[in-house]
Structures are given as C-alpha cells and as structure tokens.
Amino acid sequence: KLDLAGRIARSLGSNLREERVQAVDSVDLSVMPGEVLGLVGESGCGKSTLGRMLCSILPRSEGKIYYKGQDIDTLKGQDLKEYNMNVQMIFQDPFASLNPRKRVRNIIGEAPLFHKLTSSSELDDYLAKVMLRCGLDPSYTHRYPHQFSGGQRQRIGIARAMAVQPECLVCDESVAALDVSIQAQILNLFMELRNELNLTCLFISHDLGVVEHISDRIAVMYLGRVVEVAPVDEIFSNPFHPYTKALLDEVPRLDRRGVDFTPLKGEIPSPLDPPSGCHFHPRCPHAMDICKKEAPIDIEIAPGRRTCCHLATMP
Ligand code: SF4
Ligand code: MG
C-alpha cells in the first residue's frame, strides 16, 4: 500500500524570479497493491509533481510517503535501492526521456546490471525477454532512440522500467504524445503487464477518456488538491464534484444520460495565487458564499467515495 499524506510543496525556478508554489496541498491518497489509480486534472494541477515526488525525482518540503507501511524518508542503503527499483516512472515524451547518445542495449540494460538482476554474460538473454515482452524486436539493441517510431520509443521507455522488475509504475501522461491508434496499443501493453505481474500503477493523465479503461479508481485533482476519489464506474455514472462533472463533459460518450453536466468556464487560475476557500469557486456553477471563504474538507460520501465540496455537507 502506498500512502501519500500531508502538504507538499516545490520550488519553481524561472529566469525572472523564483517563487514557491504549493503544487500539491493536503493530498491524502492510497494506492492498494495491484490497483491502478488514475490521477486526472488539467495541466498545472500538481499531478506530475505528485508522481515525481513518489519516484524521488522531486523533493517534498512537507508531508509523508509510505510504501508498504514504511515512511520512505527513513529508508537507507539496500532498502532505499529496492524502493527506487520497485517504483518506476514512465514519462510523457519518450524521446526527451531517452538519452539520444545511448544504444537501446544501454538504455534498457544499465539498471538491471547495476541492480545485479543479470550479469554481463547473460545480459543479451535478459534484454531479449524484456524487449519481446514489451513488443520490441530484440535484434535492435544496437540502435539509437531516433531510429524508432514514437510508439516504439515509448515501448523502450516501458522496457527500461520493466527491466528492473518493478512492483509499481508511475505513468505520467505516458500516451499523451502518441497518435490515438498507438495510444490504444500502449494502453493495452500496460494492461497486459499489469495483469500478468499484478503491478500497482498510478496513471496520470489530463484526459479522463485515457484513464477510463485502465483504472480501478480515479482521483481528480484541481490546483494541488484532490477533489474527488471514486471507483471508475462511479466517476462516470454518478460524479459528485462539479469539477469532475466538467471534466467528464469533455469526454465524448453516448452513455451518460441522466447526469447533469456543466461546461467548464474560464482558465485554470495560477497556482502562484490560488483562489481563496474552494480553489474551484471562480469556475463553479454551484459556488455559494461559503465557497469563497472556507476550503471544503475531504469527506466520505459513500463507502470508497470521497470528495472535497461544500455541497457534500449541505442537508
Ligand atoms: Fe463548487 Fe463550492 Fe463545491 Fe467548490 S465547494 S466545488 S465552489 S460548490
Ligand atoms: Mg504534467
């Protein structure tokens, strides 16, 4: 079980100024073993920041992450190595995340050699198995990333992660840069790997339509806060939070009769200066006076369903 709790912030640097942005605020989320949690929201809502903090790519200023009950800040030596191996990140842009000067053999093979999952003499066999499993031709180990198509490059990114036999994948917009037909192939590969290996996944996307088929549960984020968590079917058939409803409105579907959808007005506000109270109030069609003054608290509205909205506490 993976637990994220507390308030988490990061620093953003730019040429002009450096300001602290609370990219992730009061997030409390768990991912169960073997579960796929889809994390959705517009760009800038903090979902990538959350994913990167899980993989120790970004530091936290506050808050805790627990992996199998253990606070990851207390891990040292071999335990820390194992955590870093067990939780692997798969990025959005497979081209930017693959070193253009390295051959596929090194890109995929370095980490399993380092972690002693294979030896130099057995590396070819090891690579062949991983590459085949990820839909890559094992005879291409001498090639460079630019010699592959976008979809194949993403398979290389997945093979690099799978080569260390992880338990948990953090996929950040992992199909967003691909054509729709290729997206489906890569999503299918994720589902196969997940089913075969009982992988736990945090699947981050701005697009509810992408996470729908792969997720067991969905967490919706808005400006650094998780506003709704529910099983995937219920997010689609009976969304609670006005922001979830607005996001759903952007997913073209035929089977959503009976749910009142409200289009999203306005731009997402700057995370440097988020609105008071409920961050969503300037865009919310149901905003009340209290919404401007007080941030709603996270409450359980049904077993396994949580939301952050004052409407949930109205009689
Ligand atoms: Fe809308 Fe108020 Fe709920 Fe925020 S708390 S989503 S502004 S109704
Ligand atoms: Mg992002």
Side-chain angles (χ1 to χ4, degrees):
K1 186 175 167 188
L2 196 66
D3 275 316
L4 308 160
R7 297 159 70 85
I8 300 173
R10 68 169 173 178
S11 317
L12 267 191
S14 79
N15 294 337
L16 298 172
R17 58 187 178 173
E18 188 164 302
E19 292 196 61
R20 284 184 79 72
V21 173
Q22 192 150 344
V24 180
D25 175 12
S26 313
V27 167
D28 183 355
L29 269 182
S30 300
V31 192
M32 305 306 287
E35 181 185 49
V36 179
L37 179 71
L39 185 62
V40 296
E42 288 163 291
S43 77
C45 72
K47 52 197 194 309
S48 297
T49 302
L50 191 61
R52 280 159 201 257
M53 287 184 303
L54 270 184
C55 300
S56 314
I57 300 171
L58 269 180
R60 272 161 292 129
S61 59
E62 286 175 64
K64 292 281 181 199
I65 296 174
Y66 294 88
Y67 187 71
K68 295 180 179 174
Q70 215 173 355
D71 177 352
I72 66 165
D73 295 335
T74 65
L75 299 176
K76 289 192 194 79
Q78 187 59 24
D79 290 340
L80 183 60
K81 253 192 194 172
E82 270 176 32
Y83 174 77
N84 288 331
M85 202 161 85
N86 276 329
V87 182
Q88 288 289 310
M89 183 126 190
I90 295 172
F91 296 90
Q92 168 170 4
D93 182 347
F95 204 48
S97 67
L98 301 176
N99 186 334
R101 290 185 200 83
K102 281 189 185 170
R103 295 179 196 271
V104 166
R105 182 186 170 80
N106 293 332
I107 290 172
I108 305 175
E110 257 169 17
L113 277 179
F114 174 78
H115 290 292
K116 299 195 170 63
L117 294 169
T118 184
S119 61
S120 314
S121 60
E122 287 161 359
L123 183 61
D124 286 334
D125 286 346
Y126 191 88
L127 287 180
K129 272 192 206 135
V130 174
M131 289 177 73
L132 274 176
R133 187 61 206 83
C134 295
L136 290 161
D137 184 337
S139 65
Y140 291 167
T141 48
H142 60 285
R143 294 198 179 185
Y144 292 94
H146 75 265
Q147 294 174 291
F148 294 86
S149 67
Q152 283 176 315
R153 288 199 293 258
Q154 192 54 295
R155 288 178 191 273
I156 296 170
I158 297 168
R160 176 177 57 183
M162 296 310 299
V164 294
Q165 303 172 18
E167 295 174 341
C168 177
L169 295 181
V170 176
C171 305
D172 187 10
E173 299 281 8
S174 302
V175 299
L178 305 172
D179 293 342
V180 173
S181 62
I182 311 290
Q183 280 191 354
Q185 293 173 16
I186 299 293
L187 286 172
N188 282 338
L189 174 61
F190 276 122
M191 291 209 271
E192 287 164 18
L193 291 170
R194 180 263 177 126
N195 293 342
E196 273 168 38
L197 304 165
N198 196 35
L199 292 173
T200 304
C201 293
L202 183 70
F203 205 95
I204 299 170
S205 176
H206 66 284
D207 184 345
L208 258 173
V210 163
V211 295
E212 178 182 5
H213 299 291
I214 195 164
S215 304
D216 299 305
R217 284 189 306 146
I218 304 271
V220 179
M221 270 185 93
Y222 187 77
L223 277 183
R225 294 177 182 163
V226 173
V227 297
E228 180 159 11
V229 184
V232 64
D233 299 346
E234 292 181 41
I235 283 281
F236 278 87
S237 63
N238 188 21
F240 185 90
H241 198 280
Y243 180 61
T244 309
K245 292 181 183 180
L247 275 186
L248 276 167
D249 208 34
E250 291 165 5
V251 185
R253 286 171 64 107
L254 298 170
D255 57 339
R256 293 182 313 173
R257 282 181 293 258
V259 184
D260 63 321
F261 291 102
T262 40
L264 200 49
K265 55 177 183 182
E267 294 292 306
I268 188 165
S270 164
L272 286 170
D273 186 19
S276 60
C278 170
H279 289 345
F280 190 54
H281 83 254
R283 302 172 83 188
C284 180
H286 306 288
M288 302 163 280
D289 281 346
I290 188 176
C291 304
K292 293 176 194 149
K293 294 176 201 141
E294 280 177 40
I297 51 162
D298 180 356
I299 64 164
E300 189 174 51
I301 50 168
R305 290 201 62 167
R306 284 160 43 199
T307 194
C308 258
C309 174
H310 289 303
L311 291 173
T313 49
M314 296 282 145

